[in-house]
Amino acid sequence: MTQPLYLSYFAEQDGEKRWGLSIHLEQDRFERPPHEWLQGLHAAADAWRQDFPNVFLRSELGIEPEPECRRASLVSYLYASGEINGPRLGRHLTMLRETGTIHRFTVRPGAYAEGADLVGRQGRIADLLKILESGSCHLRAPRRYGKSSILRHLLKMFSATGHPCLLADISSGQTAVWFLVTLARAAMDSSCRSAVESLPELARSPSREASPVEKSRAFEQLREGISPNPWSFGRRLLEALGQARAVLLIDEFSVFLRETYEKRPDEARALSDLLASSRRSDSPTRQVFAGSTGLSSYMHFHNLGESFADLVPLDLPPLTKPEAAMLAEELLYGAHQIPSPEAVERILDTLGEPIPYFLHSVVSAVLEESPGHTHVTLEEIDRAYTERVLGTSGNEMFKLYSLRNRPYPPTLRRVASRILRELAQRPEGIETDELRRLSTSDATDQSQFQSLLSCLEEDYDLVKMNGRWVMRSKVLRDRWILREPWLTRVE
């Protein structure tokens, strides 16, 4: 039996080994002499060193792994062709340098992305923090772009520094009382507790360690207590949070506003004004509203813009192609699949603009299509996309994109359905005048039509290219072609 052989890279500082990586060359498995791998591995390490000239990286070849090093299999750095995947080796060396460990990416469609899984968002997080230095923000993006993941990341960042911050998901509420109770509960469970616990209504609130049943009972009593006059409690709650310089992270606000306005428009306006007053007071709260970009649409259609005019909009884009390629590759490796550059490229081709949710969903479908395999084929990717993602099993994935979940008035939802149905069939695009003619049978004037186009563009349905409107998401376009009635029904 051949002795195990390890190639170890380790960083030295002041003559001491700080961190490193030992790669098992697995001679029995590959039946190739080690020197055939060494050239490619060393070339990748040398390329990595160009970006980190201050790191003294040494290599050793031996029959035992270096005790200071993380262990990895050679297969972790091979493509399906057997060639060395140099960029991945470089990524892992960077991870070791920055965190001392190697992160394994896992496929989780729809789950929150945390830590290293939050790919491609550091620039937007920095932009958001800059906005919060002097104002408040509307974090805008379509469904499943990672807005909630960014809010959770911000909560951890602020909590780690001791800065008062709370996160409230308000998607399931429909009244101002419910909103204020949810805000109070989030404050009492967060670093904001000391700022608000002196309020008489919260004096007997349970501790953070109390059971969910105890908390639910206490906050039900709070709901009953403030129902006769929620605005007095709301003003005092927000004043206390403002005096503490708290940051309020409010998730799914567009859903809450739509549901509340449809049943209690005056109440929705009063709550919007209350939040605006808190942002504009002498002791302002910093507020981040996240939800689909439909919030801007709703404000426009219902003349609520004045209450939110001070919010700085920040758009969350799709991933760049290099970010998406890296993520697709890491997801496959994490599932013990050996990808090829061609397989990664095919996955990206199915997506069009790479949305994190769709990327995870497509890779998940590919893994379901190729159980037990170690190499993903192009045929398996194509079959997974057409039969699983675009088929009936994809209904759950696409339910959030139905037009009936949009905050548009019913008449304009019908126009939007007609426009998107036509665009799905015409990848070459449609000029504005022709789109306008598609809405002539409805009572929509020029101003309403232009507003609808702006909303569809803001919601990332449409984009104008070379003077023509086209559907922005290839995945949604393909889905609408194959299962159009399911997506476009507006009742």
Side-chain angles (χ1 to χ4, degrees):
M1 181 176 179
T2 307
Q3 284 187 309
L5 189 63
Y6 290 87
L7 173 64
S8 298
Y9 293 103
F10 53 85
E12 285 189 351
Q13 183 176 347
D14 300 327
E16 295 184 7
K17 297 174 182 176
R18 296 297 185 182
W19 55 264
L21 175 66
S22 288
I23 304 171
H24 184 196
L25 297 182
E26 302 170 285
Q27 299 172 80
D28 292 336
R29 178 173 180 178
F30 294 107
E31 298 180 353
R32 292 172 65 176
H35 72 270
E36 295 191 16
W37 309 114
L38 295 180
Q39 184 176 2
L41 291 169
H42 287 329
D46 287 340
W48 178 84
R49 257 189 293 243
Q50 301 304 310
D51 294 327
F52 300 97
N54 295 327
V55 176
F56 184 58
L57 191 68
R58 290 184 54 188
S59 64
E60 290 183 356
L61 195 64
I63 62 173
E64 292 293 336
E66 287 289 327
E68 299 87 354
C69 296
R70 300 281 299 184
R71 299 188 186 188
S73 166
L74 174 63
V75 73
S76 300
Y77 305 110
L78 294 181
Y79 287 119
S81 63
E83 300 300 315
I84 295 292
N85 185 342
R88 188 170 200 242
L89 176 59
R91 287 198 297 270
H92 285 189
L93 291 175
T94 300
M95 290 179 190
L96 288 169
R97 175 183 175 274
E98 294 177 350
T99 66
T101 189
I102 295 175
H103 179 72
R104 179 189 172 191
F105 291 79
T106 55
V107 182
R108 297 182 299 172
Y112 296 119
E114 299 178 321
D117 288 300
L118 193 58
V119 173
R121 299 312 191 200
Q122 293 308 313
R124 281 299 187 271
I125 291 171
D127 292 339
L128 208 163
L129 292 173
K130 185 68 174 177
I131 292 170
L132 290 177
E133 291 178 4
S134 58
S136 294
C137 179
H138 175 198
L139 182 61
R140 309 192 308 180
R143 302 140 192 86
R144 299 298 191 182
Y145 264 55
K147 301 178 297 297
S148 297
S149 295
I150 287 180
L151 294 191
R152 289 165 65 91
H153 182 83
L154 289 175
L155 179 65
K156 288 185 177 181
M157 287 183 62
F158 282 117
S159 299
T161 62
H163 190 100
C165 181
L166 64 84
L167 170 59
D169 183 337
I170 58 169
S171 57
S172 58
Q174 299 179 5
T175 68
V177 169
W178 188 95
F179 178 95
L180 293 171
V181 170
T182 301
L183 202 65
R185 182 168 184 171
M188 293 296 285
D189 282 341
S190 70
S191 55
C192 296
R193 186 183 181 99
S194 61
V196 301
E197 60 186 352
S198 61
L199 295 177
E201 295 89 343
L202 300 177
R204 297 184 179 180
S205 296
S207 67
R208 290 190 185 94
E209 294 73 27
S211 69
V213 173
E214 290 178 288
K215 291 182 179 180
S216 294
R217 187 182 301 119
F219 285 101
E220 177 61 24
Q221 292 173 351
L222 174 64
R223 185 191 68 77
E224 294 173 356
I226 70 171
S227 289
N229 184 11
W231 309 116
S232 173
F233 172 73
R235 281 192 298 273
R236 287 181 286 111
L237 175 67
L238 289 168
E239 285 172 3
L241 291 169
Q243 290 170 2
R245 300 178 60 248
V247 176
L248 314 186
L249 307 175
I250 303 174
D251 202 8
E252 299 295 354
F253 187 73
S254 55
V255 176
F256 168 82
L257 185 64
R258 183 186 69 211
E259 295 297 325
T260 304
Y261 190 91
E262 287 182 358
K263 297 177 176 61
R264 304 172 182 84
D266 292 340
E267 187 174 301
R269 290 182 182 278
L271 180 61
S272 299
D273 291 341
L274 178 65
L275 291 167
S277 296
S278 176
R279 295 192 303 273
R280 300 164 186 172
S281 70
D282 293 336
S283 299
T285 56
R286 302 301 185 206
Q287 301 171 14
V288 179
F289 293 91
S292 71
T293 48
L295 175 58
S296 296
S297 307
Y298 208 81
M299 291 188 297
H300 172 82
F301 286 128
H302 297 284
N303 298 314
L304 293 167
E306 181 59 33
S307 295
F308 300 97
D310 58 314
L311 296 180
V312 179
L314 181 64
D315 293 323
L316 188 61
L319 299 178
T320 65
K321 188 170 182 179
E323 291 165 347
M326 182 280 291
L327 180 57
E329 186 178 277
E330 288 292 345
L331 291 174
L332 291 171
Y333 276 115
H336 307 292
Q337 298 274 354
I338 306 176
S340 65
E342 294 77 17
V344 170
E345 186 69 23
R346 183 63 62 90
I347 288 173
L348 298 191
D349 286 344
T350 67
L351 296 174
E353 286 198 330
I355 301 170
Y357 175 59
F358 284 159
L359 178 54
H360 276 262
S361 299
V362 169
V363 173
S364 176
V366 169
L367 297 176
E368 292 175 2
E369 191 64 30
S370 56
H373 296 190
T374 56
H375 296 75
V376 175
T377 68
L378 301 184
E379 292 76 14
E380 288 169 339
I381 294 171
D382 292 342
R383 191 162 57 247
Y385 181 64
T386 56
E387 296 182 6
R388 296 180 183 272
V389 175
L390 300 182
T392 55
S393 60
N395 285 354
E396 183 69 20
M397 182 193 314
F398 290 99
K399 69 179 182 181
L400 294 176
Y401 296 88
S402 175
L403 279 173
R404 61 180 172 179
N405 291 323
R406 305 294 179 88
Y408 310 155
T411 300
L412 293 185
R413 278 206 296 269
R414 286 192 290 271
V415 178
S417 174
R418 190 175 303 119
I419 288 173
L420 294 175
R421 185 187 307 119
E422 188 70 20
L423 280 172
Q425 302 292 335
R426 295 171 61 175
E428 74 279 6
I430 301 177
E431 294 182 352
T432 302
D433 288 344
E434 186 174 355
L435 286 185
R436 178 70 181 90
R437 287 193 291 273
L438 291 174
S439 67
T440 54
S441 61
D442 294 277
T444 54
D445 59 25
Q446 181 65 19
S447 174
Q448 288 177 312
F449 172 71
Q450 291 297 334
S451 296
L452 178 61
L453 277 190
S454 297
C455 292
L456 290 171
E457 185 176 19
E458 186 184 64
D459 278 338
Y460 283 62
D461 292 299
L462 309 183
V463 63
K464 201 168 189 179
M465 299 178 62
N466 301 319
R468 303 172 73 87
W469 294 96
V470 297
M471 289 194 70
R472 184 163 185 166
S473 169
K474 177 182 176 297
V475 176
L476 285 177
R477 177 180 173 272
D478 291 345
R479 174 75 180 190
W480 284 44
I481 290 172
L482 293 179
R483 303 191 61 76
E484 175 269 330
W486 190 90
L487 270 170
T488 58
R489 64 175 183 261
V490 297
E491 70 278 2

